[in-house]
Amino acid sequence: MRINTDPVLKEFASVFTNNGKQIFLVGGAVRDMLMGKKIHDWDLATDALPYEVGSIFRAVNGKVIPTGIKHGTVTVLYKNHSAEVTTFRTESEYSDGRRPDKINYALKIEDDLCRRDFTMNAIALRLPENEIVDPFCGAKDIKKKIIRCVGKADERFNEDGLRPLRAVRFASQLGFEIEKNTLNAIPPALPTCAKVSWERIRDEIEKILASPLPSCAFLHMEKTGLLKLYLQELAVCRGVEQKGFHQFDVLDHCLLACDYAAQKGYSQILRMAALLHDIGKPDVHRLDESGVWTFYRHEEKSAKMSRIILNRLRFSNAFIDSVSHLVGEHMFLYTDEWSDTAVRRFIARVEEKNLEDIYDLRRCDTYGFSGKEPDFRCINRLSDRVKEVLEKNRAFTIKDLAINGNDLISIGIKNGKMIGMVLRELLETVLDDPAQNTKEKLLEIAGSYYQKIN
């Protein structure tokens, strides 16, 4: 295969070779080049020691930052490009299940490639000659679309407990198959996987959600025990049967909904909401008098559980709030008999900024019934009704009211919790009848309500 590299990368490499040092492009960048993809990150390996890299690039006006000096890694800034440069090394003893206790610098690129996780990531490109170094036949595995550990899979996984999750993520991301011995080595490695920080688990799950087919990874996780380890709440959805329009159990339904979100290019928030939207069903399912399974108020339970799961995975508060809110509001059933008041209350509850997302989440949910493109005309009619109501009136939050807390204080209402209580009551009034949203009328209503509850 003819490989073309960025001219700046070639120039960058020549800085090393002009100083008698070897330099190789390594890791995912080489894999992606062999797959015909563009590369954006430069991960490089060299026989130059970190202090030598610093000396070499300071001489050509480059900047060197000791980002991982403990492990032989520096970041080089050169002509508006950033490159991670690591000295050839070997590793040994992984007591924490993630990082090597000992590293030793090596002389050959082949020694460095031995410590890599998968054969497809253990290929190096010698620069600037563009010569492939592939001691583990990674290029052949890429061509066959196979994920295979370098050397013995059990050793690789017990060195680094994140590698099994990376394996299933790559399967989902690249559309590759996991080689049998590699897949079979995951369950025995679960104790090591349990040592990995939640932040690193989160990063991998985010990449799974961003892949073309997230269900591929989650099904591998289920098969190997990773799902029970990291997302037990999702794992217990297996075998929870549903009736009515549903053709799948809760787990497959959620995975199909998530796949649909990925297929449509929806945001990470929507993909996560689709994955977790029915997570509470196992906890609330009951048999009714006629022997049919029911899931009353499962959306409330699912929202609470989503918050717990996402907190555990160290997602941001904003992300957690958005996903949990969508999950909690996904169970709406629109009919053309809805009054304008009902539509206004729907808008107020969902919040105007979330309307398109809640429609899309409902589309994902509906797709998950059968795995086929459903009829979305009902959602489209609701969207049209909402647009009509929004054109007529804009009072859907307390901030939209014609009065505020200071106005209530001016008529003698005590500051504090009472102000919030009265404002919420006034919003209910305005949602029922937008014509009441004038300062004069709201102050009159507020005064009467205050006297009544006191």
Side-chain angles (χ1 to χ4, degrees):
M1 174 182 288
R2 182 180 178 83
I3 295 178
N4 295 314
T5 51
D6 188 305
V8 179
L9 179 58
K10 285 188 176 182
E11 183 180 326
F12 183 91
S14 69
V15 177
F16 285 89
T17 56
N18 290 342
N19 283 273
K21 298 298 179 181
Q22 303 176 63
I23 186 71
F24 295 83
L25 187 69
V26 293
V30 181
R31 179 197 68 227
D32 289 345
M33 290 180 74
L34 291 174
M35 293 176 67
K37 298 180 179 181
K38 289 184 178 180
I39 66 169
H40 305 285
D41 299 318
W42 294 353
D43 289 321
L44 298 124
T46 180
D47 58 348
L49 297 172
Y51 79 89
E52 293 178 310
V53 177
S55 298
I56 289 170
F57 276 89
R58 277 191 290 272
V60 293
N61 297 318
K63 184 176 181 181
V64 179
I65 305 169
T67 46
I69 198 72
K70 180 180 177 182
H71 296 97
T73 300
V74 295
T75 299
V76 180
L77 306 179
Y78 181 78
K79 292 192 174 181
N80 297 319
H81 285 74
S82 174
E84 296 289 315
V85 181
T86 303
T87 304
F88 299 160
R89 70 182 196 226
T90 59
E91 301 173 347
S92 61
E93 299 181 29
Y94 300 77
S95 58
D96 69 351
R98 266 300 281 140
R99 300 287 183 185
D101 297 332
K102 296 179 181 179
I103 67 164
N104 292 294
Y105 293 133
L107 297 176
K108 298 188 301 180
I109 184 62
E110 289 81 0
D111 293 331
D112 185 86
L113 295 176
C114 286
R115 68 181 178 84
R116 306 281 168 166
D117 51 6
F118 307 113
T119 60
M120 65 182 183
N121 296 332
I123 309 170
L125 182 70
R126 186 190 301 274
L127 299 172
E129 299 94 333
N130 286 353
E131 174 191 344
I132 289 288
V133 178
D134 184 12
F136 303 104
C137 300
K140 185 182 295 185
D141 282 343
I142 290 172
K143 188 174 182 180
K144 293 181 178 180
K145 297 186 175 184
I146 291 174
I147 299 166
R148 186 195 314 272
C149 278
V150 171
K152 295 181 179 179
D154 57 345
E155 292 180 2
R156 297 293 80 76
F157 289 160
N158 283 315
E159 289 168 352
D160 183 348
L162 190 63
R163 285 172 173 168
L165 190 55
R166 280 170 55 82
V168 302
R169 184 255 292 179
F170 280 128
S172 181
Q173 198 173 49
L174 303 176
F176 283 19
E177 292 292 327
I178 302 176
E179 179 263 339
K180 182 179 178 181
N181 291 332
T182 300
L183 188 65
N184 289 342
I186 295 179
L190 292 178
T192 306
C193 298
K195 298 179 181 180
V196 179
S197 73
W198 286 111
E199 288 84 358
R200 297 309 301 270
I201 303 304
R202 175 202 62 211
D203 293 345
E204 291 300 317
I205 289 177
E206 284 189 299
K207 292 173 184 177
I208 289 170
L209 290 177
S211 71
L213 194 69
S215 64
C216 171
F218 290 120
L219 289 171
H220 277 310
M221 288 174 69
E222 181 190 22
K223 182 177 181 180
T224 58
L226 288 169
L227 194 65
K228 186 176 180 181
L229 180 63
Y230 298 134
L231 290 170
Q232 183 177 8
E233 300 90 341
L234 194 60
V236 299
C237 291
R238 173 62 73 209
V240 179
E241 300 297 335
Q242 307 177 90
K243 299 296 183 180
F245 295 108
H246 286 279
Q247 296 182 18
F248 305 101
D249 69 6
V250 175
L251 178 56
D252 283 337
H253 167 72
C254 289
L255 296 183
L256 282 167
C258 186
D259 280 350
Y260 187 79
Q263 176 188 329
K264 294 298 181 181
Y266 293 158
S267 69
Q268 287 287 84
I269 287 172
L270 262 171
R271 295 180 194 209
M272 183 65 81
L275 180 69
L276 301 180
H277 75 283
D278 279 351
I279 202 85
K281 279 188 171 180
D283 277 9
V284 301
H285 75 304
R286 303 286 185 273
L287 278 174
D288 67 12
E289 295 177 354
S290 61
V292 175
W293 286 109
T294 63
F295 304 93
Y296 293 128
R297 304 180 75 173
H298 73 271
E299 66 277 14
E300 295 177 20
K301 183 69 175 180
S302 297
K304 291 177 181 177
M305 291 177 65
S306 295
R307 188 170 291 277
I308 292 169
I309 293 166
L310 298 178
N311 265 304
R312 184 172 73 228
L313 290 168
R314 309 293 194 267
F315 279 93
S316 70
N317 289 336
F319 186 89
I320 293 170
D321 289 344
S322 295
V323 171
S324 301
H325 181 64
L326 290 174
V327 169
E329 298 296 340
H330 82 273
M331 279 300 294
F332 60 89
L333 183 60
Y334 173 75
T335 69
D336 293 333
E337 284 70 41
W338 275 24
S339 64
D340 281 357
T341 298
V343 175
R344 285 193 293 271
R345 290 187 177 280
F346 172 78
I347 296 170
R349 189 175 67 250
V350 172
E351 300 177 26
E352 186 177 350
K353 66 181 181 180
N354 298 317
L355 287 169
E356 292 302 323
D357 280 349
I358 204 69
Y359 301 150
D360 287 338
L361 179 55
R362 194 67 172 141
R363 291 184 176 100
C364 296
D365 186 13
T366 307
Y367 176 85
F369 291 172
S370 63
K372 298 177 182 178
E373 195 78 16
D375 184 348
F376 293 134
R377 283 178 294 182
C378 182
I379 296 174
N380 295 337
R381 290 199 304 273
L382 171 58
S383 176
D384 291 340
R385 284 286 306 281
V386 166
K387 289 175 184 176
E388 291 174 8
V389 169
L390 286 172
E391 288 173 1
K392 295 176 185 176
N393 123 66
R394 307 296 305 179
F396 300 101
T397 70
I398 287 174
K399 291 181 180 179
D400 299 326
L401 296 176
I403 64 172
N404 58 33
N406 291 330
D407 296 316
L408 296 181
I409 292 172
S410 72
I411 63 170
I413 297 178
K414 188 181 296 186
N415 197 4
K417 292 182 179 179
M418 183 59 67
I419 295 293
M421 185 184 303
V422 174
L423 287 173
R424 286 191 292 273
E425 179 65 21
L426 294 177
L427 178 60
E428 292 296 316
T429 299
V430 170
L431 290 173
D432 284 334
D433 182 6
Q436 300 296 315
N437 194 24
T438 67
K439 185 172 183 177
E440 181 181 359
K441 288 182 179 179
L442 292 183
L443 287 176
E444 179 184 345
I445 296 167
S448 298
Y449 178 70
Y450 185 60
Q451 287 181 354
K452 180 180 178 182
I453 62 176
N454 276 280

